[in-house]
Amino acid sequence: MRVPLVPDHASPLESVGDTDPDAGGRNVDVAGAPDGRPLMVVLRGLGLGDLLTAVPALRALRRSHPGHRIVLAAPSALAPLVPLIGGVDEVCDVSGPGHVPPLGCRVDVAVNLHGGGPHSIAALHRTGPVRLLTHAHPAFPDAYGPEWPDGPEGVHEVRRWCDLLGWYGIEADSADLELRRPRLADEDSRPVVIHPGAAYPARRWPPERFALVAAELRDNGHEIVITGSERERDLAERVALLAGLPSTSVLAGRTGPLELAELVARARLLICGDTGVAHLAAAFVTPSVVLFGPVSPARWGPPETGPHTVLWTGGLGDPYGYEPDPGLLEIGVWDVLDAVARLTEVGVR
């Protein structure tokens, strides 16, 4: 499978057709052919939010290696978004830190933006790079790098990868998060986007509460759309039904990554939990209300300088749990509506 990316000067829309860190990858063909440039492969075989929190690091790698062909080893489903980042030449379809398929020529630099465990280091080590940039791990004593940052709340995911590159002398700007704006399909439509899903139940606020928020905003004259993946369509339809919204308001399962990006870029407001779509709001400076439960926003929250409100009661728990986190359940409907009102007073785009 080929995943070509558009040149930096082209229009991305005209040219492009929560994860387990130990998941495997798949062999695929890489777009294009060796062109004489030295090759850099960057592993980030994770989901939407993971890709977006790596944007400053990816751009720093391009600035520091302007003559390299940069191949991003990531899920091919995210490839349509990569031209909005800029600097990446190709996407090689890899999910998790598993096998990175042959890339057509010797790897000059391999960069581990995936994780601190041995699997991702081993996957890149097998590509035989001249140089490997990664966090240190005792299973690979010859792979020099900084220690994996740890602690009760950890370090913000954006900062983690900027600091890794900084250890190797590559300067990255953690505030460099904004994506190129896609061509807007309907610039006159500026809905409130409600995204009730998340990778695990621990991070899902109850659909009944999302429905109460949606109904209140609808009654105040806002256009409401409900987004999610195909597997979250039932959840989205339940929210719409409870809120008294028409079925046409449910976009779950009907938007790919690029369409979702276009929607969030023109949205009046996004309301969601701790999940990937929140990082799209940060990337397009779209106002957002983000509900956190078992994980601190200090690790995955939006930039403090943007038009974003984080709701978190201060507890920590299991982000992979099968029941909504108790701290998340402490956030009430009026907490969310008050946050929406404050953002509106500040001035919603």
Side-chain angles (χ1 to χ4, degrees):
M1 179 177 63
R2 291 183 175 271
V3 188
L5 298 182
V6 299
D8 286 354
H9 61 270
S11 166
L13 290 182
E14 293 173 352
S15 305
V16 253
D18 312 27
T19 47
D20 180 355
D22 292 330
R26 291 184 288 131
N27 284 328
V28 296
D29 293 330
V30 179
D35 54 9
R37 290 184 291 169
L39 176 63
M40 174 187 290
V41 59
V42 183
L43 179 60
R44 189 67 167 161
L46 297 166
L48 173 61
D50 305 278
L51 172 64
L52 297 179
T53 53
V55 165
L58 289 169
R59 288 176 174 159
L61 288 169
R62 168 51 74 203
R63 289 193 300 270
S64 63
H65 295 77
H68 278 65
R69 180 166 62 101
I70 297 180
V71 175
L72 176 63
S76 61
L78 298 176
L81 289 179
V82 175
L84 304 183
I85 299 171
V88 174
D89 296 296
E90 303 165 14
V91 172
C92 172
D93 186 19
V94 175
S95 295
H99 178 64
V100 177
L103 299 173
C105 63
R106 184 172 186 185
V107 174
D108 182 52
V109 183
V111 186
N112 186 3
L113 298 186
H114 185 92
H119 302 298
S120 53
I121 299 175
L124 289 173
H125 199 275
R126 286 192 294 269
T127 68
V130 175
R131 190 178 185 210
L132 174 61
L133 311 187
T134 185
H135 287 94
H137 193 279
F140 293 88
D142 294 333
Y144 298 105
E147 296 296 322
W148 181 263
D150 209 350
E153 294 188 9
V155 65
H156 197 282
E157 190 71 3
V158 174
R159 184 77 261 164
R160 179 193 311 282
W161 305 114
C162 292
D163 288 348
L164 169 66
L165 297 186
W167 194 90
Y168 288 101
I170 300 172
E171 184 177 351
D173 179 5
S174 61
D176 188 15
L177 291 166
E178 290 190 36
L179 297 182
R180 299 171 179 170
R181 295 182 68 81
R183 186 180 61 201
L184 300 183
D186 185 357
E187 297 192 33
D188 294 330
S189 173
R190 299 178 59 237
V192 172
V193 177
I194 293 181
H195 190 97
Y200 290 89
R203 287 177 262 163
R204 295 179 201 151
W205 205 48
E208 296 80 7
R209 300 189 194 184
F210 273 114
L212 289 170
V213 169
E216 182 71 18
L217 294 178
R218 184 269 322 277
D219 291 346
N220 279 278
H222 293 287
E223 176 191 358
I224 309 294
V225 297
I226 305 173
T227 58
S229 65
E230 179 62 40
R231 67 184 180 186
E232 293 168 337
R233 184 166 180 83
D234 288 347
L235 173 63
E237 289 177 341
R238 175 169 171 75
V239 172
L241 178 65
L242 292 173
L245 296 171
S247 59
T248 53
S249 69
V250 178
L251 301 183
R254 295 168 51 192
T255 58
L258 197 57
E259 291 79 15
L260 182 61
E262 184 274 332
L263 177 63
V264 173
R266 63 179 165 87
R268 182 175 299 277
L269 177 72
L270 169 70
I271 303 172
C272 65
D274 173 20
T275 189
V277 71
H279 300 282
L280 278 177
F284 295 118
V285 201
T286 296
S288 66
V289 177
V290 188
L291 288 64
F292 277 78
V295 176
S296 167
R299 293 189 62 182
W300 287 94
E304 295 180 358
T305 55
H308 313 290
T309 297
V310 168
L311 299 179
W312 182 53
T313 58
L316 297 175
D318 178 9
Y320 308 110
Y322 290 98
E323 297 292 336
D325 180 77
L328 185 62
L329 294 179
E330 290 179 20
I331 300 172
V333 169
W334 285 107
D335 295 322
V336 175
L337 291 172
D338 286 346
V340 170
R342 289 194 299 271
L343 280 174
T344 303
E345 290 170 0
V346 170
V348 176
R349 293 188 309 110

